[in-house]
């Protein structure tokens, strides 16, 4: 069983549209072993944030992009992508439109 | 410094939901109007309504392009907004996901804490605490025909809710493209109420369900009298939706989205029928149509409305309303951002706002 110290804590940067959700900040810290766990942890601290990022059915919303160390998780293992200590997560709104 | 927004008693407040934000128009005399943007900017506001049953709570259906749809409410005329503690979100095991929130409807005067909302995918949501927590209506979610419901062009949306003020167990909803449905047991079960309304886009012209209802309204003092603007006709029911009578009469098109009535003279109704293919005014004259005899005949209202070879205006389902004054005001917003108003029940019109984003909804309230 993992001890709390085995669970990575990383910095997550969010887009301007979600600053209000996290207390008018640009980035926050969260702990988890996968992207899914990071989102779970964010939602614990900032209720409603998961619904901003994911549909009720679990998948990431189509115009939300999550990058882990500059790699889009869609090209990794999606929400099951492992998170390692020192990683940086960027959550962005995708380009939509022309 | 925060400006405290306050309005004098009797002010008419029009809430204008647009493709890019919520706007207010206010007037003391319905002649000079003040236009204000609100802090809900950049969002698709499908509907907004002011609930004055117990205070003054403003509700908005805020559909974001990126980060989800949220019902929001404000007790300070839109300066600050709150999210429900338990909002409109499907259960993770329901296999449903919220697409858009289409309409918010305050409940009956006898149930001041109750608020209803209609969404895509077609479902009715109920709050019993003024909007803080929301639950879906189970009877509609588990309707035995649900797996055969098909969306209209705007989605599988529940866009109209009429809680019958004379019967706490009765309610109607309008769903595109399912039709009119009614409950007589407080939402436990729902029946279709589409008899004699057409679905000319289906193999069967008069199916039990599958009609593309666009808007539904109730007579203010005869609760069994309903009117609807449908994709395929304008109809009246004298028996709570058991069957419908075609009242298109001399209207030049069966197709349109909104329908509204004068609450002081409820045989007076307004529609804005359109070219069904192009979805804008017929010909070169933007026109609102009025009946003063409950649909027996219709007249064209054009004084002050634009005309010319470039006039091609469309009106969406929630983008026309009346106020409760007498003579009633009529307000029509276009999908190109013009808002027209009449303060003489449609006899003459004025452009009271222009260059707005495409208008999705207008609701008018005289502040008490």
């Amino acid at each position: 069983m993992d001890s709390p110290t085995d669970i990575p804590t990383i910095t997550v940067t969010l887009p301007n549209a979600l600053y209000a959700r996290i207390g008018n900040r640009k980035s926050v810290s969260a702990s988890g072993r996968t992207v899914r766990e990071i989102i779970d942890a964010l939602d614990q601290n900032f209720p409603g944030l998961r619904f901003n990022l994911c549909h009720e059915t679990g998948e990431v919303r189509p115009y939300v992009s999550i990058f882990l160390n500059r790699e889009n998780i869609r090209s990794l293992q999606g929400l099951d992508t492992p998170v390692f200590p020192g990683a940086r997560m960027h959550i962005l709104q995708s380009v939509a439109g022309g | 410094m925060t400006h405290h927004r306050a309005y004098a008693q009797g002010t008419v407040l029009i809430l204008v939901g647009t493709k890019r934000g919520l706007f207010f128009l206010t007037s003391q005399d319905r002649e000079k109007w003040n236009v204000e943007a609100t802090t809900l900017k950049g969002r698709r506001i499908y509907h907004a309504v002011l609930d004055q049953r117990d205070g003054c709570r403003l509700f908005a259906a805020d559909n974001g392009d990126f980060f989800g749809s949220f019902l929001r409410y404000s007790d300070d005329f839109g300066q600050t907004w709150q999210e429900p503690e338990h909002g409109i979100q499907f259960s993770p095991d329901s296999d449903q996901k919220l697409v858009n929130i289409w309409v918010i409807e305050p409940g009956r005067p006898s149930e001041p804490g109750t608020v209803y909302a209609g969404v895509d995918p077609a479902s009715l949501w109920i709050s019993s605490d003024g909007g803080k927590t929301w639950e879906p209506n189970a009877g509609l979610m588990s309707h035995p025909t649900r797996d055969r419901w098909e969306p209209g062009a705007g989605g599988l949306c529940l866009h109209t809710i009429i809680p019958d003020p004379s019967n706490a167990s009765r309610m109607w909803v309008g769903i595109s493209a399912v039709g009119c449905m009614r409950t007589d047991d407080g939402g436990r079960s729902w029946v279709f109420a589409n008899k004699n309304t057409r679905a000319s886009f289906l193999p069967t012209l008069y199916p039990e369900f599958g009609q593309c209802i666009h808007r539904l309204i109730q007579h203010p003092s005869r609760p069994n009298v309903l009117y609807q603007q449908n994709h395929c006709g304008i109809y009246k029911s004298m028996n709570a939706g058991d069957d419908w009578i075609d009242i298109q009469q001399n209207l030049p098109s069966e197709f349109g989205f909104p329908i509204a009535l004068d609450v002081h003279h409820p045989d007076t109704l307004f529609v804005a029928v359109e070219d069904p293919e192009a979805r804008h005014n017929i010909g070169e004259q933007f026109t609102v149509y009025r009946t003063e005899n409950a649909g027996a005949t219709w007249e064209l209202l054009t004084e002050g409305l634009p005309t010319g070879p470039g006039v091609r205006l469309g009106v969406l389902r929630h983008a026309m309303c009346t106020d409760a004054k007498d003579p009633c005001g009529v307000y029509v917003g276009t999908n190109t951002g013009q808002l027209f108003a009449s303060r003489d029940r449609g006899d003459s019109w004025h452009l009271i706002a222009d260059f707005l984003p495409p208008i999705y909804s207008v609701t008018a309230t005289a502040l008490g």
Side-chain angles (χ1 to χ4, degrees):
Chain A
M1 184 173 158
D2 293 327
S3 68
T5 53
D6 295 329
I7 302 175
T9 298
I10 65 169
T11 300
V12 182
T13 303
L14 287 107
N16 183 292
L18 296 178
Y19 287 178
R21 178 73 78 192
I22 59 168
N24 293 313
R25 284 176 285 176
K26 186 176 179 181
S27 61
V28 291
S29 296
S31 300
R33 287 161 293 199
T34 63
V35 173
R36 190 188 312 278
E37 288 186 7
I38 293 288
I39 292 174
D40 288 346
L42 289 171
D43 194 65
Q44 282 281 321
N45 290 332
F46 309 105
L49 185 55
R50 179 182 12 235
F51 189 65
N52 288 127
L53 306 180
C54 301
H55 288 299
E56 298 96 313
T57 40
E59 72 270 29
V60 177
R61 291 184 182 277
Y63 293 112
V64 173
S65 293
I66 301 176
F67 290 82
L68 196 63
N69 289 340
R70 298 179 181 274
E71 284 279 341
N72 191 322
I73 65 163
R74 287 195 173 94
S75 61
L76 300 172
Q77 295 170 57
L79 291 171
D80 295 321
T81 302
V83 170
F84 297 101
R88 272 193 86 89
M89 183 185 291
H90 287 87
I91 298 175
L92 304 172
Q93 61 191 54
S94 305
V95 174
Chain B
M1 187 175 129
T2 304
H3 167 67
H4 179 67
R5 189 177 273 152
Y7 302 105
Q9 188 175 1
T11 299
V12 174
L13 168 64
I14 308 176
L15 306 172
V16 184
T18 79
K19 185 177 182 180
R20 290 288 174 253
L22 176 66
F23 296 81
F24 289 175
L25 274 84
T26 50
S27 177
Q28 295 291 320
D29 57 8
R30 299 187 295 170
E31 190 169 352
K32 293 186 285 296
W33 292 89
N34 185 44
V35 183
E36 299 171 76
T38 72
T39 54
L40 282 187
K41 54 186 180 182
R43 276 98 168 227
R44 292 179 290 118
I45 308 297
Y46 276 22
H47 195 238
V49 64
L50 186 69
D51 182 3
Q52 293 193 99
R53 290 172 302 162
D54 184 16
C56 216
R57 177 161 283 187
L58 172 60
F59 292 92
D62 172 358
N63 296 304
D65 287 328
F66 300 93
F67 299 113
S69 294
F70 293 85
L71 181 142
R72 302 188 193 279
Y73 56 90
S74 170
D75 293 329
D76 56 11
F77 289 104
Q79 292 178 103
T80 59
W81 293 88
Q82 299 174 68
E83 255 175 46
E85 292 167 16
H86 181 74
I88 297 177
Q89 297 180 22
F90 290 94
S91 157
D93 56 10
S94 71
D95 205 28
Q96 303 277 329
K97 51 190 177 188
L98 180 62
V99 179
N100 285 304
I101 301 171
W102 274 86
V103 66
I104 305 160
E105 189 68 43
R108 301 167 182 85
S110 58
E111 47 181 17
T114 299
V115 187
Y116 301 96
V119 315
D120 175 0
S123 52
L124 172 69
W125 292 72
I126 302 156
S127 171
S128 301
D129 51 17
K132 289 182 191 155
T133 61
W134 292 84
E135 293 293 335
N137 171 262
L140 209 52
M141 289 296 290
S142 60
H143 197 274
T145 64
R146 188 178 176 91
D147 62 354
R148 288 184 281 151
W149 295 358
E150 296 286 343
L156 183 58
C157 55
L158 193 158
H159 52 68
T160 303
I161 303 164
I162 301 177
D164 187 346
S166 70
N167 180 347
S169 297
R170 174 171 279 185
M171 175 185 290
W172 297 266
V173 296
I175 303 174
S176 294
V178 176
C180 179
M181 299 182 77
R182 188 182 77 210
T183 178
D184 289 313
D185 57 11
R188 282 188 290 282
S189 64
W190 295 82
V191 296
F192 293 110
N194 297 309
K195 188 177 179 185
N196 298 337
T197 63
R198 297 184 295 278
S200 54
F201 46 86
L202 292 177
T204 304
L205 186 59
Y206 293 100
E208 182 187 19
F209 65 93
Q211 284 86 345
C212 193
I213 188 172
H214 284 176
R215 193 80 173 100
L216 177 68
I217 57 174
Q218 183 186 36
H219 191 289
S221 56
R222 297 165 63 198
N224 286 345
V225 176
L226 304 170
Y227 296 93
Q228 66 164 284
Q229 171 70 68
N230 192 293
H231 193 110
C232 305
I234 299 97
Y235 300 96
K236 169 169 68 176
S237 174
M238 306 296 286
N239 50 19
D242 285 344
D243 59 28
W244 294 86
I245 303 159
D246 186 335
I247 57 167
Q248 181 183 340
Q249 310 296 6
N250 60 315
L251 283 170
S253 168
E254 65 177 10
F255 182 90
F257 284 100
I259 185 167
L261 62 70
D262 178 345
V263 294
H264 296 286
H265 308 276
D267 285 344
T268 297
L269 295 109
F270 303 89
V271 296
V273 293
E274 301 178 346
D275 181 313
E277 301 299 324
R279 302 201 171 189
H280 54 58
N281 51 275
I282 297 159
E284 297 185 351
Q285 171 67 58
F286 181 55
T287 304
V288 176
Y289 302 84
R290 178 177 67 192
T291 177
E292 295 178 290
N293 47 27
T297 56
W298 296 87
E299 60 186 310
L300 283 64
L301 307 174
T302 59
E303 187 182 326
L305 294 176
T307 187
V311 175
R312 299 289 185 271
L313 302 177
V315 184
L316 298 175
R317 77 174 84 247
H318 289 304
M320 180 165 72
C321 73
T322 53
D323 61 28
K325 303 265 190 181
D326 191 14
C328 84
V330 192
Y331 308 93
V332 178
T334 71
N335 59 10
T336 42
Q338 293 83 29
L339 182 60
F340 297 97
S342 167
R343 61 175 187 157
D344 53 13
R345 45 192 296 283
D347 286 342
S348 63
W349 297 83
H350 297 277
L351 179 68
I352 61 170
D354 198 0
F355 311 114
L356 292 169
I359 294 173
Y360 289 157
S361 70
V362 293
T363 55
T365 311
L367 297 176

